[in-house]
C-alpha cells in the first residue's frame, strides 16, 4: 500500500485507475467527458480529467495531479467549507454531497463551481470521487437576473412588500414606504393587516380568506393608514408563496389610486354639473313652451278683453240711461194714475179698462221689480268689467316688466279669472294677511297661482275646499295653497317639479305646469315646497323675497 503522505506521480495514477476501471475505453470515456472529473485523497488530486484541468486553466491533468493541493484551487472564503465537506465524505459521515463554491484558476481568476462528490475507497484508503461543473456563466446570468429583479423591486412605482401570513413586514421597497409615509422602525413593528382602515374590515377578511383558499387576492380597493393617522386610497394585489423554509409568505402589491379617485370625483362632479345643466335646459325649454303657449293665450285673451270692453262700456252706459228712463216712466205712470183716480168715477169705462190692464200685466210687481232688474244688470256689467280688467292683467304673461305688486291682489285677480272653473266644485277660503308690496313680475306669479289652483281643483274628486293663506315674515312674504284633494303619492313628491312629469292619463296634462312654476319662483329667488298626505290633500308653500337681488333675476 502507498503511504498516506505519499504524493501520486503523474501517469502512475492514470494507469492504475485505467487498470481498475477494467478497460482503456473507460479511461477514454473519462478523458472525453464534458464535465470535470476528479479523485481526491489525502488533500491531493490523484486523478483529474482534461476538462477538470481546463476548468482551472491548466494545459493538462499532469500539471495538477500530485502537484496542486486542493486548497489552492479554492477561494479563501470557501476553503474551510470545501475541506470540511471532503473530510465528512472521506470519514464516512455522509456518502455523497452536492454544493457550490468559488474556485481559483491558475491565473488567479475566480470562477463559480458546482460539485457532486461521493465517498469511495481507493487503494484501501478513503477517497472522494466527483464531478465539477463550471457554473460561472449561469451565476452571472442569475446575478444579472437578480439585479434586474432587485432594480425592478426597488424602483417600481408600485408599493411592494413581502410579509408573513400574519402580515409582519419582512421586506418592502421605497414606494411602499413612501406610500404609507412610514419610517423603517414603524414598518418593522407594524403588520400589514393593521394598516388597513377599520371601515374595510370586511375587505380585509375577504383578502385573508382568499389567500388561504385561492392563494391570491386581486383588485381590492380600500384605504390604508399612514403613520400620521391619515388614510390613502389604494388598490391591493397579493399572492401567497412558499419559502425555502417551507413556510408561507405573501407578496403584497399596493397601488396609490389617489389621483384616480380625484379624477373620478371630478368626473362625478362634472357629470353632476352636466345633469344640472341638462335639467336647467329642460326647465328653460319647458318654460319657453309654456310661455309661448301662454303668450298665445294672452294675446287671444287681450284681444277678447279689448273686444268685450267696448260693448260692455256702452251697454253699461245704456243700462244706466235706461234705468233713468224707466224711473221717469214709472213716475209718470204713477202720476197719471193719481190724476185719473181724482178725475174719473170709480166705475167709469176708462178706469175699468186701466184696472184690467194693470191686473193682466201685474203692474204692481213690475213697478217694484223693474228697478231691481236694472240694478242687477248694472252689477252684472260691473262684474264683467272687472273680469275683463283681470283678464287683461293676466294676459301679460310674456311681459318682462318687473314692478311693485300686491300678492293678495294678484291672487284675487287669478281667482276672478278662474271663478267659473272653481265655483262648480270648490269653496275658496281666503285667509289673507297684510302684505308689503314686493318687487316681482306679477303676470308670471299669476301664472304660478293659476297652475296651483287648477291642479288643486283637479285633485278634488267631487266637492272640496281650497284654502289660500298669505303672510309676511322678515324680508319675505309667503303664500300657501292647501286643498282637500286625493294627495300625492310619496314616490312622486320628489318628481313633481320635473319637466313633463305627470300622473294624469295621456291628453289630460303636459307635465309642464309645476315645472314652469318652479322655474318662475326660482327666478324670483324664492322657494316652493310641497307636503302631502294621500287621501287628505296637498299643501304648496311659496316664499318670495320682498326685494330680490337684481343681478340674479331675469328681467
Amino acid at each position: 500500500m502507498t503511504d498516506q503522505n505519499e504524493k501520486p506521480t503523474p501517469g502512475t495514477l492514470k494507469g492504475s485507475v485505467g487498470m481498475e476501471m477494467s478497460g482503456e475505453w473507460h479511461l477514454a470515456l473519462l478523458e472525453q467527458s464534458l464535465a470535470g472529473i476528479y479523485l481526491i485523497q489525502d488533500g491531493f488530486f490523484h486523478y483529474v480529467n482534461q476538462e477538470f484541468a481546463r476548468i482551472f486553466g491548466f494545459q493538462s491533468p499532469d500539471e495538477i495531479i500530485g502537484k496542486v493541493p486542493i486548497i489552492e484551487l479554492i477561494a479563501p472564503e470557501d476553503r474551510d467549507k470545501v475541506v470540511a465537506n471532503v473530510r465528512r465524505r472521506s470519514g464516512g459521515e455522509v456518502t455523497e454531497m452536492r454544493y457550490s463554491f468559488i474556485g481559483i484558476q491558475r491565473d488567479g481568476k475566480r470562477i463559480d463551481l458546482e460539485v457532486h462528490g461521493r465517498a469511495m475507497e481507493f487503494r484501501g484508503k478513503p477517497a472522494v470521487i466527483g464531478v465539477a461543473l463550471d457554473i460561472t456563466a449561469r451565476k452571472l446570468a442569475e446575478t444579472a437576473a437578480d439585479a434586474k429583479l432587485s432594480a425592478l423591486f426597488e424602483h417600481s412605482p408600485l408599493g411592494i412588500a413581502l410579509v408573513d401570513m400574519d402580515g409582519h413586514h419582512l421586506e418592502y421597497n421605497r414606494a411602499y414606504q413612501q406610500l404609507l409615509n412610514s419610517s423603517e422602525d414603524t414598518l418593522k413593528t407594524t403588520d400589514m393587516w393593521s394598516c388597513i382602515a377599520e371601515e374595510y374590515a370586511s375587505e380585509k377578511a375577504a383578502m385573508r380568506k382568499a389567500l388561504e383558499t385561492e392563494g391570491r387576492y386581486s383588485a381590492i380597493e380600500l384605504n390604508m393608514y399612514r403613520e400620521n393617522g391619515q388614510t390613502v386610497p389604494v388598490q391591493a394585489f397579493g399572492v401567497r408563496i412558499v419559502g425555502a423554509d417551507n413556510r408561507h409568505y405573501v407578496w403584497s402589491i399596493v397601488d396609490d389610486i389617489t389621483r384616480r379617485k380625484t379624477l373620478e370625483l371630478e368626473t362625478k362632479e362634472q357629470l353632476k354639473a352636466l345633469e344640472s345643466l341638462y335639467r336647467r335646459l329642460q326647465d328653460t325649454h319647458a318654460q319657453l313652451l309654456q310661455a309661448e303657449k301662454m303668450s298665445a293665450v294672452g294675446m287671444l285673451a287681450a284681444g277678447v278683453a279689448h273686444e268685450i270692453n267696448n260693448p260692455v262700456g256702452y251697454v253699461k252706459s245704456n243700462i244706466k240711461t235706461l234705468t233713468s228712463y224707466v224711473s221717469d216712466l214709472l213716475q209718470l205712470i204713477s202720476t197719471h194714475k193719481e190724476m185719473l183716480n181724482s178725475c174719473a168715477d170709480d166705475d167709469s169705462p176708462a178706469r175699468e179698462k186701466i184696472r184690467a190692464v194693470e191686473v193682466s200685466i201685474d203692474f204692481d210687481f213690475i213697478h217694484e221689480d223693474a228697478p231691481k232688474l236694472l240694478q242687477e244688470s248694472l252689477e252684472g256689467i260691473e262684474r264683467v268689467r272687472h273680469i275683463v280688467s283681470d283678464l287683461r292683467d293676466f294676459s301679460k304673461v310674456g311681459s318682462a316688466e318687473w314692478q311693485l305688486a300686491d300678492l293678495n291682489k294678484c291672487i284675487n285677480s287669478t281667482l276672478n279669472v278662474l271663478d267659473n272653473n272653481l265655483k262648480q266644485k270648490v269653496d275658496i277660503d281666503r285667509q289673507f294677511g297684510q302684505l308689503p308690496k314686493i318687487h316681482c313680475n306679477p303676470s308670471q306669479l299669476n301664472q304660478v297661482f293659476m297652475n296651483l289652483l287648477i291642479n288643486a281643483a283637479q285633485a278634488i274628486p267631487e266637492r272640496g275646499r281650497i284654502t289660500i293663506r298669505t303672510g309676511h315674515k322678515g324680508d319675505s312674504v309667503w303664500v300657501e295653497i292647501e286643498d282637500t284633494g286625493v294627495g300625492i303619492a310619496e314616490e312622486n313628491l320628489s318628481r313633481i317639479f320635473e319637466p313633463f312629469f305627470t300622473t294624469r292619463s295621456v291628453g289630460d296634462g303636459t307635465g309642464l305646469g309645476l315645472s314652469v312654476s318652479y322655474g318662475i319662483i326660482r327666478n324670483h329667488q324664492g322657494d316652493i315646497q310641497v307636503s302631502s298626505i294621500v287621501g287628505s290633500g296637498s299643501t304648496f308653500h311659496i316664499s318670495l323675497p320682498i326685494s330680490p337681488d337684481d343681478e340674479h333675476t331675469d328681467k
Side-chain angles (χ1 to χ4, degrees):
M1 290 183 73
T2 305
D3 187 82
Q4 290 186 2
N5 295 322
E6 180 184 353
K7 296 182 180 179
T9 58
T12 304
L13 182 61
K14 289 175 63 178
S16 299
V17 172
M19 289 168 48
E20 292 182 13
M21 295 183 71
S22 305
E24 292 182 0
W25 68 274
H26 289 95
L27 181 60
L29 181 63
L30 292 174
E31 290 298 326
Q32 298 300 319
S33 174
L34 298 178
I37 300 174
Y38 63 89
L39 187 147
I40 300 172
Q41 190 178 62
D42 299 329
F44 284 90
F45 294 101
H46 282 251
Y47 171 78
V48 297
N49 68 352
Q50 182 62 41
E51 178 63 17
F52 188 91
R54 188 200 64 77
I55 289 174
F56 284 94
F58 292 90
Q59 293 295 323
S60 71
D62 293 339
E63 296 177 318
I64 299 175
I65 295 173
K67 298 176 181 178
V68 179
I70 299 173
I71 60 173
E72 290 186 11
L73 301 182
I74 305 169
E77 64 268 26
D78 285 343
R79 287 174 181 173
D80 292 341
K81 177 177 72 173
V82 176
V83 171
N85 287 340
V86 172
R87 185 180 297 113
R88 291 174 66 193
R89 283 172 292 178
S90 300
E93 186 178 342
V94 293
T95 303
E96 63 180 270
M97 187 176 291
R98 184 172 185 168
Y99 60 95
S100 61
F101 65 93
I102 299 175
I104 303 295
Q105 289 183 329
R106 186 175 191 177
D107 59 2
K109 182 180 178 181
R110 295 165 68 93
I111 59 174
D112 290 289
L113 295 172
E114 183 177 271
V115 295
H116 190 183
R118 177 178 293 175
M120 65 172 292
E121 187 175 300
F122 178 67
R123 292 179 178 175
K125 295 172 59 177
V128 174
I129 188 170
V131 178
L133 297 174
D134 184 352
I135 60 171
T136 303
R138 192 181 80 189
K139 281 289 186 179
L140 287 174
E142 289 176 354
T143 301
D146 288 344
K148 290 180 180 178
L149 288 175
S150 178
L152 178 63
F153 174 78
E154 192 58 36
H155 299 290
S156 172
L158 301 176
I160 305 174
L162 178 66
V163 301
D164 61 21
M165 293 301 289
D166 291 326
H168 298 116
H169 294 100
L170 305 176
E171 294 183 44
Y172 46 84
N173 66 354
R174 187 182 310 160
Y176 186 88
Q177 185 176 355
Q178 291 176 344
L179 184 145
L180 296 183
N181 194 25
S182 297
S183 64
E184 291 188 8
D185 291 339
T186 300
L187 286 177
K188 288 178 181 177
T189 58
T190 305
D191 66 88
M192 181 187 72
W193 303 118
S194 65
C195 292
I196 297 176
E198 294 178 358
E199 61 267 28
Y200 292 91
S202 59
E203 286 81 358
K204 179 166 62 176
M207 292 164 68
R208 303 190 76 160
K209 183 177 181 181
L211 284 173
E212 293 174 0
T213 58
E214 303 174 19
R216 65 177 58 243
Y217 60 82
S218 61
I220 295 180
E221 293 188 6
L222 43 80
N223 286 354
M224 295 186 73
Y225 288 119
R226 287 180 162 170
E227 189 171 3
N228 58 9
Q230 296 179 344
T231 60
V232 56
V234 301
Q235 188 173 52
F237 306 82
V239 60
R240 186 185 67 201
I241 62 172
V242 179
D245 56 0
N246 289 323
R247 294 178 59 191
H248 286 180
Y249 299 90
V250 178
W251 278 113
S252 178
I253 302 174
V254 289
D255 184 15
D256 185 347
I257 57 175
T258 302
R259 177 60 180 163
R260 194 186 82 189
K261 286 293 185 181
T262 302
L263 290 175
E264 287 178 356
L265 181 60
E266 291 176 353
T267 302
K268 199 173 186 179
E269 291 177 349
Q270 290 174 356
L271 181 61
K272 187 177 179 181
L274 287 174
E275 290 176 347
S276 176
L277 179 60
Y278 177 68
R279 285 195 298 269
R280 289 175 59 189
L281 288 174
Q282 281 188 312
D283 291 345
T284 302
H285 180 64
Q287 289 187 41
L288 288 174
L289 289 177
Q290 187 75 351
E292 185 177 355
K293 181 178 73 174
M294 294 303 296
S295 178
V297 173
M299 292 177 62
L300 177 63
V304 171
H306 177 73
E307 293 300 323
I308 292 176
N309 201 44
N310 288 334
V312 164
Y314 61 71
V315 168
K316 179 181 179 180
S317 177
N318 289 346
I319 289 179
K320 283 185 176 180
T321 303
L322 183 59
T323 300
S324 177
Y325 289 169
V326 169
S327 177
D328 291 342
L329 287 174
L330 291 176
Q331 184 178 358
L332 176 62
I333 292 172
S334 296
T335 302
H336 281 195
K337 185 177 179 180
E338 291 176 359
M339 294 298 295
L340 181 62
N341 290 335
S342 63
C343 297
D345 296 335
D346 290 341
D347 55 355
S348 65
R351 291 194 63 177
E352 290 297 330
K353 186 175 182 178
I354 290 173
R355 286 192 183 125
V357 172
E358 286 179 351
V359 172
S360 65
I361 65 174
D362 198 358
F363 176 74
D364 290 338
F365 176 78
I366 292 175
H367 187 277
E368 180 181 353
D369 195 46
K372 293 180 181 179
L373 291 177
L374 290 171
Q375 182 60 35
E376 288 177 359
S377 297
L378 279 175
E379 291 174 357
I381 289 297
E382 186 64 21
R383 170 70 177 154
V384 171
R385 190 184 69 80
H386 280 297
I387 291 174
V388 169
S389 176
D390 290 337
L391 192 60
R392 291 180 65 183
D393 290 340
F394 193 83
S395 69
K396 299 175 183 177
V397 173
S399 173
E401 181 181 354
W402 283 63
Q403 56 187 276
L404 290 175
D406 182 352
L407 287 191
N408 287 340
K409 183 179 179 182
C410 291
I411 295 171
N412 279 327
S413 175
T414 304
L415 287 171
N416 285 337
V417 172
L418 296 176
D419 180 68
N420 190 59
N421 291 338
L422 299 179
K423 68 182 181 181
Q424 303 297 327
K425 60 186 304 187
V426 173
D427 295 323
I428 302 297
D429 181 10
R430 294 176 174 88
Q431 299 180 14
F432 292 172
Q434 292 293 325
L435 300 182
K437 290 185 176 182
I438 69 170
H439 193 227
C440 64
N441 187 319
S443 59
Q444 289 184 351
L445 294 182
N446 283 343
Q447 183 179 346
V448 173
F449 300 142
M450 181 187 72
N451 288 336
L452 295 181
L453 289 168
I454 290 177
N455 285 350
Q458 291 175 341
I460 297 173
E462 294 181 359
R463 185 162 190 87
R465 182 180 69 258
I466 295 177
T467 303
I468 307 172
R469 305 180 185 90
T470 63
H472 168 219
K473 183 178 181 180
D475 296 331
S476 64
V477 297
W478 55 268
V479 177
E480 199 169 76
I481 297 178
E482 178 184 356
D483 65 66
T484 57
V486 296
I488 303 170
E490 184 176 356
E491 62 269 21
N492 294 330
L493 279 176
S494 61
R495 300 191 59 195
I496 60 173
F497 295 115
E498 292 181 9
F500 308 107
F501 176 78
T502 179
T503 57
R504 300 176 195 162
S505 57
V506 177
D508 289 342
T510 62
L512 291 176
L514 288 178
S515 174
V516 171
S517 299
Y518 179 85
I520 291 173
I521 296 302
R522 298 297 292 177
N523 185 48
H524 281 72
Q525 299 174 29
D527 183 57
I528 179 170
Q529 301 290 335
V530 59
S531 59
S532 183
I533 300 176
V534 175
S536 297
S538 304
T539 301
F540 285 82
H541 185 91
I542 299 171
S543 62
L544 295 166
I546 296 174
S547 300
D549 186 356
D550 291 345
E551 294 182 0
H552 298 89
T553 54
D554 296 335
K555 297 186 179 181

